């Protein structure tokens, strides 16, 4: 490894491996604890500063601030939403680096563990009835924070692209580099050996599904692209493909490593609660 890169391939004892596992578990707790804290703070903010109080009465149309404009023309998400997601990504990267020392594999595992810890939040922000004629039905996060679902949906899309996918892709890239640079007596490299193992194949499938789900973003209102037909047909096609990709991602992650199982089960619970919230808010 480069001398400018602070993490290196190191040999660790069984006791050190156990300590590494304990730190990974602790990272997951911290990452999800801060999610709960953020939701509580958002709920307090919306309670004391409801949207009608935050609006300034002005004559004519109100000009949006620079932060509330899209990053590029035609994009959905605003600069403010990108900023919040990048701040959250920075916090998670810092949490991943915390207490790794110079242990390359510790950092690699931490990126994947922290990334998967965000799956329940990602699911809890999704508009579960998007396939119906009521795509604005409230999600679990919308109900808990009193933030309108269109705003939450924008963060749901952006969170996958800016937060979760970079962490999981970074985890996969670092592992591949480790395998490629490590030797194996029976193969040309450790990579040639490990790519045949089921856990690595499942991890590769999970990262591939995360990247694919990131690419298949919400269909735009205009015709064209991969989504054909009426708005309802495009919405249904998108929802089915997106749900299948996320389902395969969760299934692959569940069997990839034992530490991911609790996050996948939490995501299933979040999905069921989301369905309940959506059905209640459209009655």
């Amino acid at each position: 490894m480069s001398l400018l890169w602070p993490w290196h391939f190191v040999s660790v004892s069984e006791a050190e491996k156990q300590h590494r596992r304990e730190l990974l578990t602790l990272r997951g707790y911290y990452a999800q604890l801060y999610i709960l804290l953020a939701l509580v703070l958002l709920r307090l903010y919306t309670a004391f500063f409801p949207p009608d109080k935050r609006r300034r009465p002005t004559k004519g149309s109100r000009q949006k601030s620079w932060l509330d404009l899209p990053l590029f023309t035609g994009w959905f998400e605003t600069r403010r939403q990108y900023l919040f997601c990048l701040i959250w990504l920075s916090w998670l990267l810092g949490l991943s680096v915390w207490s790794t020392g110079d242990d390359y594999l510790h950092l690699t595992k931490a990126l994947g563990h922290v990334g998967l810890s965000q799956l329940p939040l990602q699911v809890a922000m999704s508009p579960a009835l998007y396939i119906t004629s009521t795509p604005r039905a409230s999600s679990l996060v919308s109900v808990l924070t009193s933030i309108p679902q269109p705003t939450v949906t924008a963060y749901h899309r952006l969170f996958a692209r800016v937060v979760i996918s970079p962490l999981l892709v970074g985890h996969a890239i670092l592992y591949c580099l480790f395998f490629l640079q490590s030797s194996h007596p029976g193969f040309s490299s450790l990579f040639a050996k490990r790519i045949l193992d089921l856990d690595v194949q499942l991890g590769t499938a999970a990262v591939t599904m995360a990247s694919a789900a990131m690419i298949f973003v919400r269909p735009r209102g205009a015709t064209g692209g991969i989504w054909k037909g009426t708005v309802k047909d495009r919405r249904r096609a998108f929802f089915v493909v997106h749900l299948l990709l996320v389902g395969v991602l969760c299934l692959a992650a569940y069997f990839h490593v034992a530490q991911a199982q609790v996050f996948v089960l939490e995501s299933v619970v979040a999905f069921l609660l989301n369905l309940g919230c959506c059905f209640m808010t459209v009655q």
Side-chain angles (χ1 to χ4, degrees):
M1 301 299 294
S2 170
L3 293 177
L4 298 177
W5 178 255
W7 293 277
H8 308 284
F9 304 160
V10 297
S11 299
V12 294
S13 64
E14 287 301 319
E16 290 171 326
K17 287 182 180 179
Q18 178 60 31
H19 182 60
R20 178 199 283 167
R21 286 191 286 267
E22 292 171 354
L23 286 176
L24 288 174
T25 301
L26 192 59
R27 280 187 182 85
Y29 290 152
Y30 284 162
Q32 295 197 323
L33 179 62
Y34 272 78
I35 290 174
L36 296 177
L37 178 60
L39 293 177
V40 170
L41 292 177
L42 285 172
R43 185 65 185 89
L44 291 174
Y45 179 76
T46 56
F48 287 101
F49 302 99
D52 55 339
K53 290 185 178 181
R54 296 199 297 269
R55 295 194 189 99
R56 296 179 182 177
T58 57
K59 295 181 179 180
S61 61
R62 178 171 175 251
Q63 186 176 3
K64 291 184 178 181
S65 69
W66 181 82
L67 284 174
D68 290 323
L69 294 174
L71 190 60
F72 296 104
T73 303
W75 286 31
F76 289 105
E77 299 82 11
T78 66
R79 293 184 175 95
R80 186 186 305 276
Q81 291 164 346
Y82 269 95
L83 179 61
F84 285 159
C85 287
L86 287 173
I87 290 173
W88 194 258
L89 174 63
S90 299
W91 141 246
L92 293 178
L93 286 173
L95 183 61
S96 300
V97 170
W98 169 66
S99 289
T100 57
D102 63 345
D103 188 343
Y104 179 96
L105 282 183
H106 192 171
L107 172 67
T108 303
K109 293 174 183 290
L111 289 172
H113 193 77
V114 170
L116 289 175
S117 74
Q118 304 301 291
L119 277 179
L121 172 61
Q122 176 70 1
V123 172
M125 290 191 292
S126 63
L129 296 185
Y130 196 82
I131 196 172
T132 71
S133 59
T134 54
R136 296 194 173 202
S138 297
S139 64
L140 177 60
V141 169
S142 178
V143 170
L144 292 176
T145 62
S146 294
I147 296 175
Q149 184 56 39
T151 301
V152 176
T153 300
Y155 279 105
H156 169 74
R157 293 193 304 267
L158 198 56
F159 200 75
R161 299 201 300 267
V162 175
V163 178
I164 295 180
S165 291
L167 289 169
L168 296 184
V169 170
H171 166 78
I173 290 175
L174 289 183
Y175 247 126
C176 286
L177 291 175
F178 169 73
F179 291 151
L180 287 168
Q181 297 178 70
S182 302
S183 60
H184 189 279
F187 294 84
S188 58
S189 68
L190 183 58
F191 180 85
K193 159 64 172 63
R194 293 291 280 128
I195 199 63
L196 301 176
D197 294 337
L198 181 60
D199 63 324
V200 173
Q201 293 172 347
L202 289 171
T204 302
V207 173
T208 301
M209 293 304 103
S211 302
M214 176 183 66
I215 294 171
F216 287 95
V217 295
R218 189 187 73 173
R220 297 177 182 272
T223 59
I226 63 172
W227 309 107
K228 307 296 184 182
T230 65
V231 172
K232 187 174 182 179
D233 290 339
R234 296 199 303 272
R235 183 181 297 148
R236 182 180 291 111
F238 162 78
F239 183 85
V240 171
V241 172
H242 189 74
L243 194 62
L244 285 174
L245 291 174
V246 174
V248 174
L249 161 63
C250 290
L251 190 63
Y254 184 89
F255 291 104
H256 169 60
V257 61
Q259 290 85 346
Q261 293 177 358
V262 63
F263 301 139
V264 174
L265 293 176
E266 289 173 354
S267 299
V268 172
V269 172
F271 178 74
L272 295 176
L273 292 175
N274 229 20
L275 283 176
C277 289
C278 286
F279 277 115
M280 286 190 297
T281 56
V282 297
Q283 296 300 322

